[in-house]
Amino acid sequence: MEVEEILAQLERNEGYLPQLAMEEAVAHREEIIPRLLSVLEDVARDPQPYAADGDRMIHIHAMYLLAQFRETRAYPLLVRIFAAPGDLTEDLAGDVVTEDLSSILASVSGGDPSGIIALVENELANQWVRGAALDGLVMLAACGLRTREEVMTYFASLFQKLDRKPSEVWDGLAVACADLCPIEVEAELRQAYEDELIDPWSISWQEIHEAIHKGKDACLEQVRGRYHLITSAVEELKWWTCFDGNEGEPDEFDEVDVEPGDPDDETDDFSLFPGGNDDFVPAPYRRPEPKVGRNEPCPCGSGKKYKKCCGR
């Protein structure tokens, strides 16, 4: 497959994951990297056309592939893109912000935290982006690109830098500190809870206490099991609900046309349907529930984020 054909297949969401094109992109890595960087440069210059077109996917594929390639030239471009104010970044990248932005940033950083730190401290940036950047710093420690002590020293400085108003950023800071064992910032965290800067539904003081009791080594070992750099764009994207098929073919969960009475129709129990045989409509085989994002509310109803509840 030629590079132009690969890019054409990555351009838009056609209802299925373009796995073959993505695998070909990996095979043509050196040729396609400049083209993918050009896409991000275009987004950084003017994100509106990409944000306004919900089916446009080339920039999303570019982010994941360049992260897989550990392409550090993508780092400043991504920092510029996600520094956009308000909801623009969510319109542009959707669940990428809360699901994988931390992994993408860490993967292209080369271990340099400066761009991620710039997002954390950018008060105009989307709060979810700033929270993802905090997670990105935890990921650098988890993956051995920075030491735990370096990251915790920076987190300690944020208690003096952040605007002392309740926000997702304060919640994210508390969670990030707990991930790495917050023993060095216990007093600062306690004061933040007393000042009602941190939502206890996001992370409770009891969870902070448990992380301290667990100890540095155990906490770090735990995050090493949870946090990972992007190693396969296909693996990261294949569960997305917008990709209902597989290269244009129905997958195992897609509805299959079956005539009533067909011996292969396992749903041919007319008693299950109102109106009897005359009104029978084969029930579609429904896709299981989509994967729950780590930063989404836990489906158990606790009110906590999935990663701090059943997703531990």
Side-chain angles (χ1 to χ4, degrees):
M1 191 181 294
E2 298 297 324
V3 168
E4 292 300 331
E5 185 181 355
I6 296 171
L7 294 169
Q9 293 194 24
L10 298 180
E11 178 66 32
R12 302 188 66 78
N13 176 20
E14 301 294 346
Y16 59 87
L17 178 68
Q19 182 169 341
L20 178 59
M22 296 181 76
E23 291 171 350
E24 286 291 310
V26 174
H28 293 77
R29 171 175 173 159
E30 297 307 317
E31 299 170 74
I32 209 161
I33 282 177
R35 304 293 296 275
L36 298 177
L37 289 171
S38 179
V39 170
L40 295 190
E41 288 168 358
D42 192 42
V43 177
R45 279 192 300 269
D46 184 10
Q48 286 290 355
Y50 293 84
D53 187 346
D55 287 331
R56 201 165 187 187
M57 291 291 292
I58 184 67
H59 59 300
I60 303 296
H61 292 133
M63 291 177 192
Y64 281 89
L65 284 167
L66 290 169
Q68 178 179 339
F69 297 155
R70 304 290 184 271
E71 181 49 69
T72 56
R73 287 175 290 178
Y75 190 29
L77 296 172
L78 289 168
V79 172
R80 282 173 56 196
I81 289 168
F82 286 98
D87 296 333
L88 179 59
T89 50
E90 291 185 59
D91 294 337
L92 180 69
D95 286 344
V96 173
V97 175
T98 53
E99 288 304 304
D100 292 321
L101 180 57
S102 56
S103 298
I104 291 170
L105 289 170
S107 295
V108 299
S109 71
D112 173 13
S114 60
I116 300 176
I117 287 173
L119 288 175
V120 171
E121 298 184 13
N122 185 347
E123 294 184 359
L124 297 178
N126 180 283
Q127 290 193 14
W128 293 105
V129 167
R130 297 175 72 189
L134 287 164
D135 277 347
L137 293 171
V138 175
M139 190 165 300
L140 292 182
C143 298
L145 296 174
R146 307 301 296 187
T147 67
R148 175 201 169 274
E149 288 66 31
E150 287 174 314
V151 175
M152 283 304 301
T153 297
Y154 173 68
F155 285 166
S157 74
L158 288 177
F159 287 90
Q160 307 304 319
K161 293 180 180 180
L162 294 181
D163 186 9
R164 296 190 73 79
K165 294 180 181 178
S167 69
E168 286 289 339
V169 182
W170 277 103
D171 296 345
L173 176 59
V175 171
C177 288
D179 279 341
L180 294 178
C181 182
I183 189 167
E184 297 96 332
V185 293
E186 180 179 4
E188 289 87 348
L189 279 168
R190 185 182 296 276
Q191 187 62 55
Y193 275 95
E194 290 178 0
D195 293 343
E196 299 183 345
L197 300 175
I198 299 167
D199 183 355
W201 281 105
S202 178
I203 181 169
S204 67
W205 179 254
Q206 178 63 29
E207 290 172 295
I208 296 291
H209 180 75
E210 289 171 358
I212 292 172
H213 181 73
K214 192 179 301 180
K216 299 177 185 178
D217 292 342
C219 284
L220 191 56
E221 187 63 28
Q222 189 171 42
V223 297
R224 283 173 180 154
R226 292 205 325 265
Y227 287 83
H228 66 279
L229 302 179
I230 304 294
T231 57
S232 168
V234 168
E235 289 300 312
E236 297 296 334
L237 291 170
K238 69 180 184 181
W239 62 268
W240 282 28
T241 54
C242 66
F243 299 133
D244 289 331
N246 182 19
E247 299 288 0
E249 296 294 332
D251 64 22
E252 61 180 313
F253 298 118
D254 285 339
E255 180 178 349
V256 178
D257 292 330
V258 181
E259 291 297 324
D262 189 319
D264 294 327
D265 179 13
E266 297 179 358
T267 68
D268 198 3
D269 181 357
F270 300 137
S271 64
L272 299 177
F273 300 90
N277 297 2
D278 292 341
D279 292 336
F280 170 72
V281 178
Y285 198 108
R286 297 192 180 279
R287 180 181 301 278
E289 292 183 3
K291 175 182 174 182
V292 179
R294 293 176 55 253
N295 290 291
E296 294 176 3
C298 189
C300 77
S302 67
K304 298 179 183 180
K305 292 180 182 179
Y306 179 66
K307 70 180 180 181
K308 298 305 296 181
C309 192
C310 297
R312 282 178 179 274

